[in-house]
Amino acid sequence: MSVKVRIPTPLQKLTNGKADVECGAKSINDLIDELERDYPGLKERLTDEGRVRRFINIYVNDEDIRFLNKEATALKDGDNISIVPAIAGGSAGATVRT
Amino acid sequence: MELTIRKKDLDQIVDHCNSCLPDEACGILAGGDGRVEKIYRMTSARPGPASYEMDPGEQFRVLKDIRQSGRALVGIYHSHPGNPAYPSGIDVEKAYWPGTLFPNYPGAVHVIVSLMDRLNPAVKGYTIDKGEVAEVALQVV
């Protein structure tokens, strides 16, 4: 049982520069714990109070876990996991260069 | 550092921003070597006049398309309907991984279209990295 995880660039400092890592997790919760065991600090980057952070999206193959079973989403051999930071912003509180 | 963009692509970006008024528009610029080769108009999942958030599923599919086409994400654009073409506090905050100063998309130029003057939109580009905002010259060809 092995799944492949695509690590986004801003987290690769914690994975010794690796863009892809493999692990044997059976669910997203397991995956987060296994990543934390192998790469300390990742869990805090990915979750807040046990849930995936608001502006972080996790996909199992092409499916957003929010439309599956969220953090309890089961994984199977060969799954590809993607961790994707949201692209967001806006002019609220816009600053003017001085 | 500069970002090269074709005039017709820049016009398309401004058209998109105008078409989303009064809300903000957003999109992704793909290419390589500091040159924009393709524009992706994106859907905001939470449209509003002072904020945007790309539809996550659409964003995932577009990023995959960019990778598979051998391109890279070189820029992210959005509009400021009633504010200057300069990153807001929210733009800066959301450019980084939550709680860090690591950019989510390193090297991406944040292109902002100000529509304060509807007849003369202002378009400027910036990098947001290491806690600093730096203007990037837009070379229109």
Side-chain angles (χ1 to χ4, degrees):
Chain A
M1 165 77 188
S2 175
V3 300
K4 190 162 104 175
V5 188
R6 177 186 289 272
I7 305 293
T9 309
L11 297 189
Q12 289 174 16
K13 290 182 197 309
L14 296 172
T15 59
N16 308 314
K18 291 182 193 168
D20 295 292
V21 302
E22 293 200 3
C23 73
K26 293 184 170 60
S27 71
I28 292 297
N29 275 325
D30 282 355
L31 175 80
I32 291 168
D33 286 340
E34 286 204 23
L35 288 174
E36 175 66 17
R37 185 194 63 205
D38 295 341
Y39 307 103
L42 264 181
K43 186 171 187 173
E44 193 263 335
R45 293 275 184 266
L46 295 172
T47 62
D48 185 22
E49 297 182 349
R51 306 191 70 171
V52 173
R53 287 180 179 274
R54 161 80 174 80
F55 285 94
I56 305 303
N57 300 306
I58 297 182
Y59 293 81
V60 176
N61 301 316
D62 290 338
E63 294 292 327
D64 188 331
I65 63 166
R66 291 190 173 97
F67 300 117
L68 296 171
N69 209 8
K70 300 181 181 168
E71 291 83 358
T73 298
L75 302 176
K76 62 181 188 307
D77 191 39
D79 278 344
N80 288 295
I81 318 302
S82 302
I83 302 167
V84 184
I87 300 178
S91 54
T95 54
V96 179
R97 186 168 34 175
T98 53
Chain B
M1 182 175 177
E2 64 179 31
L3 183 69
T4 301
I5 185 166
R6 291 172 291 211
K7 172 78 165 60
K8 65 171 187 174
D9 289 338
L10 190 60
D11 289 344
Q12 275 196 35
I13 291 171
V14 173
D15 285 348
H16 179 214
C17 293
N18 275 315
S19 74
C20 290
L21 285 171
D23 294 334
E24 293 195 4
C26 57
I28 291 175
L29 309 175
D33 297 326
R35 179 177 290 270
V36 176
E37 296 171 357
K38 186 170 182 178
I39 292 171
Y40 294 87
R41 294 180 176 211
M42 303 296 287
T43 306
S44 181
R46 289 180 174 74
S51 64
Y52 77 93
E53 182 180 340
M54 290 187 188
D55 178 272
E58 187 180 36
Q59 180 192 323
F60 180 75
R61 289 189 294 275
V62 164
L63 294 180
K64 193 172 181 180
D65 186 62
I66 291 172
R67 279 197 306 276
Q68 290 177 342
S69 67
R71 295 187 174 103
L73 182 155
V74 296
I76 295 162
Y77 74 84
H78 76 281
S79 60
H80 282 183
N83 285 289
Y86 191 76
S88 68
I90 290 178
D91 291 334
V92 173
E93 178 194 335
K94 296 289 184 262
Y96 295 110
W97 192 276
T100 77
L101 284 180
F102 301 137
N104 284 327
Y105 296 93
V109 175
H110 296 260
V111 174
I112 301 178
V113 179
S114 170
L115 299 171
M116 289 174 76
D117 181 347
R118 299 285 155 84
L119 297 178
N120 296 291
V123 186
K124 294 192 173 179
Y126 303 89
T127 53
I128 301 174
D129 195 0
K130 299 183 179 69
E132 293 182 359
V133 174
E135 186 165 353
V136 173
L138 297 180
Q139 181 79 25
V140 182
V141 294

